[in-house]
Amino acid sequence: MSVVVVVGAQWGDEGKGKIVDLLSGNFNITARYQGGANAGHTVIIGEKKYILHLIPSGILHPNVECVIGNGVVIDPVALLEEIKLLEKKGVKIKGRLWISQKAHLIMPYHKLLDTVSEEKEGANKIGTTGRGIGPAYVDKANRKGIRIVDLLDREGFERKLRRNLEEKNELLYKIYGILPLDIEKIIKEYLEFDHRIDPYIKDVSVYLNEAIDNGKSILLEGAQGTLLDVDHGTYPYVTSSNPASGGACTGVGIGPTKISEVMGVIKAYTTRVGEGPFPTELTGEAGENLRQAGMEFGATTGRPRRCGWFDAVVARYSVRINGIDALAITKLDVLDHFETIQVCTSYRYNGKLLREFPTDLRVLQNCEPVYESLPGWQQPTSNAGSWEELPEGARKYLEYLETQTGAPAKVISVGSKRNQTIFRESTT
């Protein structure tokens, strides 16, 4: 029995899509456990580029079944569009994709509220993608959410929707000056959605637990990253769910005793999208050089990512919070041209040295990174097929990151393609 959780160990965008795609071929099932369509996982196979938002990357392996768990909030428009695009590229979906009937739905008013409330915040905005994720999770926590299972009861669905729309329309009109949404149109759209996704609906918890009992292997995939976790991230500049490994069990309905390994995906440097503190951020020419070299633009939004040196304080925190057993270090090749590479080993705040990640946002915002300088290797790594083929300087850099984080580098990515990956030991 092998149940592996793959988590982002920074602020998201660590390259989880490629890593999950690579590992999925060794598993029977891949399951997504939280988040929404704001996540963009990019996978390149040959000359084809796939950008996945809701469906696990394992769908690109024909013998792998895929699950969207109850912890995910589902935008019907995004899901159906993603299914359509994958089928156009020859990917079989039916009979391979299963969706939890407990998953909550993103409604049109969630997207509208997400956009207008963010605009109203002005300089205090969080930096959301405007896809309705946060408001959907708010309704879920407030016990006003609408789940896929609710669509089976048309009368009950209409009653819930009318109750919600009465409240949302009043809010939209009185606070934001937006005319009421058409309830009849929304009812029709979502009942049609129910008809179209009915073949994919399953009791995911039963399905996964039976699979584990039958000796099948499962890969659990999170979206975003640990530092965006609503409980353990840089609150309030976080997502609305739990990307950390603890969210995997509640997000698909299996017990923590079933987990056999946690793998953290982490870049050889650090990036962040949106607002919030970022101690190692590089501004000006240095940051732009790193951004262009790494093509650091959001797969979903196209927004330029903020870039900085590797932050070992963040990495150690992620290892601790998630119980990370091994790391997959991505984008090593982006650092190939640097003469000197910096690694943040601690923070300095008010004359004190901090090795642990601070909880207080005011402290974090005023921390000064303490760097260790390492020599670059200034040789290409993208053609290396093994640990021994990496330049000596690159190996020493990776070994230094292992020492700083306390976790071994099990997988090293040196490019966007599948074959640009080094495995130091078995991944299952």
Side-chain angles (χ1 to χ4, degrees):
M1 184 270 289
S2 178
V3 181
V4 176
V5 183
V6 175
V7 298
Q10 294 161 316
W11 277 281
D13 307 307
E14 300 96 346
K16 294 182 296 297
K18 175 186 173 177
I19 300 303
V20 171
D21 169 63
L22 283 166
L23 299 181
S24 293
N26 299 320
F27 289 81
N28 301 114
I29 302 166
T30 61
R32 168 85 177 275
Y33 63 80
Q34 53 74 227
N38 55 342
H41 289 177
T42 303
V43 179
I44 297 174
I45 304 173
E47 299 303 315
K48 287 187 178 180
K49 182 178 182 180
Y50 302 85
I51 298 179
L52 303 166
H53 301 279
L54 283 166
I55 299 174
S57 307
I59 200 72
L60 302 177
H61 292 270
N63 297 319
V64 176
E65 293 194 25
C66 294
V67 165
I68 297 176
N70 56 275
V72 179
V73 287
I74 295 176
D75 177 356
V77 176
L79 177 62
L80 293 172
E81 182 63 25
E82 193 165 325
I83 289 172
K84 182 180 175 182
L85 288 172
L86 285 169
E87 287 179 334
K88 272 188 178 180
K89 292 188 176 185
V91 179
K92 182 188 174 187
I93 305 295
K94 286 185 178 175
R96 296 184 54 221
L97 174 66
W98 309 110
I99 304 169
S100 173
Q101 78 275 46
K102 294 180 183 177
H104 281 246
L105 292 166
I106 293 175
M107 308 301 289
Y109 48 79
H110 291 140
K111 294 189 218 179
L112 192 52
L113 281 167
D114 202 1
T115 301
V116 296
S117 62
E118 181 79 344
E119 287 174 355
K120 192 176 180 64
E121 286 297 321
N124 297 316
K125 63 183 179 179
I126 299 296
T128 76
T129 56
R131 281 164 170 73
I133 313 297
Y137 277 114
V138 167
D139 275 0
K140 178 179 178 176
N142 205 24
R143 300 178 298 281
K144 292 182 179 180
I146 294 177
R147 303 186 298 172
I148 287 177
V149 69
D150 293 327
L151 298 174
L152 300 176
D153 174 13
R154 176 165 183 156
E155 200 172 290
F157 167 64
E158 287 192 29
R159 186 170 59 252
K160 287 182 179 181
L161 184 57
R162 289 182 190 281
R163 179 198 66 191
N164 284 0
L165 266 178
E166 184 178 338
E167 176 188 297
K168 308 301 182 190
N169 276 336
E170 185 176 9
L171 178 64
L172 286 166
Y173 181 70
K174 289 185 176 179
I175 304 299
Y176 302 106
I178 294 173
L179 294 176
L181 295 170
D182 187 339
I183 186 169
E184 302 304 331
K185 181 182 177 184
I186 294 172
I187 289 171
K188 183 179 178 182
E189 286 176 351
Y190 277 74
L191 290 176
E192 173 60 24
F193 165 67
D194 175 50
H195 174 71
R196 292 175 67 181
I197 69 156
D198 191 59
Y200 304 104
I201 304 305
K202 192 180 281 286
D203 188 324
V204 158
S205 176
V206 170
Y207 168 69
L208 292 178
N209 279 281
E210 286 181 349
I212 292 168
D213 291 342
N214 291 326
K216 291 189 176 180
S217 55
I218 301 171
L219 188 66
L220 302 176
E221 171 189 12
Q224 289 95 28
T226 303
L227 274 295
L228 291 177
D229 188 283
V230 69
D231 288 300
H232 299 292
T234 48
Y235 191 89
Y237 300 99
V238 293
T239 192
S240 303
S241 59
N242 292 109
S245 61
C249 294
T250 54
V252 295
I254 65 172
T257 55
K258 308 292 186 183
I259 306 298
S260 52
E261 182 182 354
V262 178
M263 173 172 281
V265 185
I266 197 163
K267 276 178 184 165
Y269 50 100
T270 311
T271 63
R272 174 166 201 168
V273 170
E275 308 299 320
F278 181 3
T280 65
E281 182 174 12
L282 293 171
T283 56
E285 187 178 348
E288 186 59 32
N289 286 343
L290 198 50
R291 182 180 300 112
Q292 293 299 330
M295 297 184 67
E296 294 294 353
F297 300 91
T300 299
T301 63
R303 289 187 295 179
R305 296 178 186 134
R306 299 156 65 191
C307 299
W309 295 119
F310 188 90
D311 190 329
V313 182
V314 163
R316 286 193 296 269
Y317 177 73
S318 287
V319 168
R320 172 163 58 86
I321 290 296
N322 293 293
I324 289 172
D325 299 294
L327 293 172
I329 298 179
T330 62
K331 292 205 165 186
L332 180 67
D333 55 301
V334 174
L335 300 179
D336 286 352
H337 69 284
F338 285 94
E339 184 178 350
T340 302
I341 299 169
Q342 307 270 27
V343 174
C344 171
T345 58
S346 58
Y347 300 150
R348 185 173 284 108
Y349 175 74
N350 281 352
K352 294 181 180 178
L353 213 58
L354 307 178
R355 275 187 59 82
E356 297 297 335
F357 193 74
T359 301
D360 191 329
L361 203 68
R362 293 171 305 146
V363 173
L364 186 61
Q365 286 170 330
N366 292 287
C367 278
E368 176 191 347
V370 177
Y371 289 114
E372 183 75 24
S373 296
L374 282 79
W377 44 93
Q378 295 186 289
Q379 298 175 57
T381 58
S382 55
N383 293 323
S386 68
W387 175 259
E388 291 72 24
E389 291 177 12
L390 286 171
E392 183 183 2
R395 294 198 303 270
K396 286 185 175 179
Y397 178 70
L398 293 168
E399 287 168 349
Y400 185 75
L401 298 190
E402 289 180 315
T403 301
Q404 284 292 319
T405 61
K410 197 172 183 180
V411 182
I412 299 137
S413 174
V414 292
S416 58
K417 296 179 181 177
R418 276 179 172 175
N419 63 357
Q420 292 179 302
T421 312
I422 295 167
F423 294 91
R424 292 180 71 186
E425 58 181 281
S426 171
T427 55
T428 57

